[in-house]
Amino acid sequence: MLVGELRPTGGYIYKNKNESIGYCPQYDISFSALTVLQSIDYICRLHGLNPSLINNLILSQFQLEKYRHHLVSHLSGGTCRRLHLALCLIGSPTLLLLDEPTAKIDPLLRSHIRVILQHRPIDTSIIFASHSMLECEQLCDRLTILVRGNAKCLGSPEHLKNKYGMNYRIRLTLLQSSFQIPLLERIDHSNEYIYPKGSLPYLFTLLEQLVEQNIIASNYTVELTSLEHIFLTLQHSQDIKV
């Protein structure tokens, strides 16, 4: 509704008078008859900006230099996605609406784009939709998980982990393959174990004793249930309150 794609049926949306919006929908709206450089020029002029001052920065930041004279219609899905995200950032919008902005982009460039978004101007807010829980955890100050279109929870990643996480997950290397670690449940013969939420000091005491006895390696990790596991739990539960 903020960008005019849906007609409001009721209620209100408030925005600042001078607030500008950058929009990256789930599916690219490409300028198929234009080159990459012409597309950037066009959006710059819509914002009243001098393209010559911005072109090279955009091309470099999103690693599009070698595609500058390529038609948008000839770009791969991932490259087109990068271009579209770059276009929505032109003009330094104060509100970014990003619907799966890193879809179809390879992992290395996806990480690069996350860094760009993390270093956005301090007065820029982002509403970010993604199926990647790792991406949400790295980028979001607050997040909500939708189940069949309904919000099931709202809060910071740490808040959701503390509220909905049912256990700790331990990743370790077992040096004595036949040893059964007390109180830890192994996950499908992997190097990951589950420890029910309880006394962390006791857990670390146990793990350090196992290290001293040369039963496990010293490079173990302990973490709360991941957002992905919480997401799957909420997807299959109808009883958890928001």
Side-chain angles (χ1 to χ4, degrees):
M1 285 184 279
L2 279 170
V3 295
E5 284 197 356
L6 295 176
R7 183 185 296 274
T9 57
Y12 299 90
I13 297 176
Y14 296 97
K15 64 186 285 288
N16 294 331
K17 183 178 180 180
N18 297 320
E19 189 169 63
S20 57
I21 297 175
Y23 178 42
C24 182
Q26 185 175 8
Y27 301 104
D28 298 323
I29 304 170
S30 64
F31 307 105
S32 56
L34 302 180
T35 66
V36 168
L37 192 58
Q38 288 169 339
S39 299
I40 296 172
D41 283 358
Y42 176 66
I43 298 299
C44 284
R45 295 183 191 282
L46 286 180
H47 285 279
L49 303 172
N50 184 345
S52 63
L53 301 177
I54 298 174
N55 282 339
N56 289 333
L57 175 62
I58 292 291
L59 291 169
S60 172
Q61 196 171 39
F62 287 87
Q63 300 182 20
L64 294 167
E65 297 100 324
K66 66 180 180 180
Y67 303 105
R68 65 170 63 219
H69 298 303
H70 289 211
L71 287 172
V72 174
S73 58
H74 293 171
L75 299 177
S76 68
T79 305
C80 192
R81 195 68 180 153
R82 271 186 283 150
L83 172 63
H84 199 86
L85 182 57
L87 296 178
C88 85
L89 293 174
I90 292 174
S92 300
T94 53
L95 175 62
L96 287 172
L97 305 177
L98 308 179
D99 192 351
E100 299 196 51
T102 59
K104 300 181 286 188
I105 296 176
D106 69 71
L108 186 61
L109 284 171
R110 193 180 304 142
S111 177
H112 176 69
I113 287 172
R114 282 200 292 265
V115 171
I116 293 174
L117 295 176
Q118 285 170 332
H119 289 83
R120 66 192 183 276
I122 194 169
D123 61 343
T124 300
S125 299
I126 298 178
I127 298 177
F128 180 91
S130 176
H131 284 92
S132 169
M133 294 297 102
L134 175 62
E135 208 161 53
C136 291
E137 188 163 3
Q138 291 177 334
L139 288 174
C140 298
D141 302 310
R142 291 198 307 163
L143 58 89
T144 183
I145 294 176
L146 302 179
V147 178
R148 298 178 182 87
N150 297 312
K152 296 293 288 185
C153 58
L154 175 66
S156 69
E158 284 306 312
H159 168 75
L160 298 186
K161 285 183 179 182
N162 286 324
K163 184 171 183 178
Y164 298 109
M166 303 302 177
N167 47 53
Y168 293 98
R169 297 176 77 87
I170 300 97
R171 184 176 287 110
L172 55 81
T173 301
L174 195 61
L175 301 178
Q176 298 182 21
S177 58
S178 61
F179 188 83
Q180 299 292 321
I181 303 177
L183 300 181
L184 300 188
E185 178 186 346
R186 194 170 189 176
I187 303 174
D188 298 329
H189 305 289
S190 68
N191 64 342
E192 290 193 13
Y193 293 76
I194 290 176
Y195 175 73
K197 263 192 174 179
S199 171
L200 265 183
Y202 176 80
L203 173 61
F204 282 110
T205 298
L206 171 64
L207 293 173
E208 286 303 310
Q209 288 175 348
L210 295 174
V211 170
E212 290 175 5
Q213 296 168 19
N214 206 34
I215 294 172
I216 67 171
S218 61
N219 59 340
Y220 61 82
T221 61
V222 178
E223 61 182 16
L224 279 170
T225 304
S226 69
L227 284 179
E228 184 171 355
H229 289 102
I230 293 172
F231 173 77
L232 293 173
T233 299
L234 292 173
Q235 286 287 332
H236 292 94
S237 172
Q238 299 300 312
D239 303 321
I240 297 179
K241 296 180 180 179
V242 177

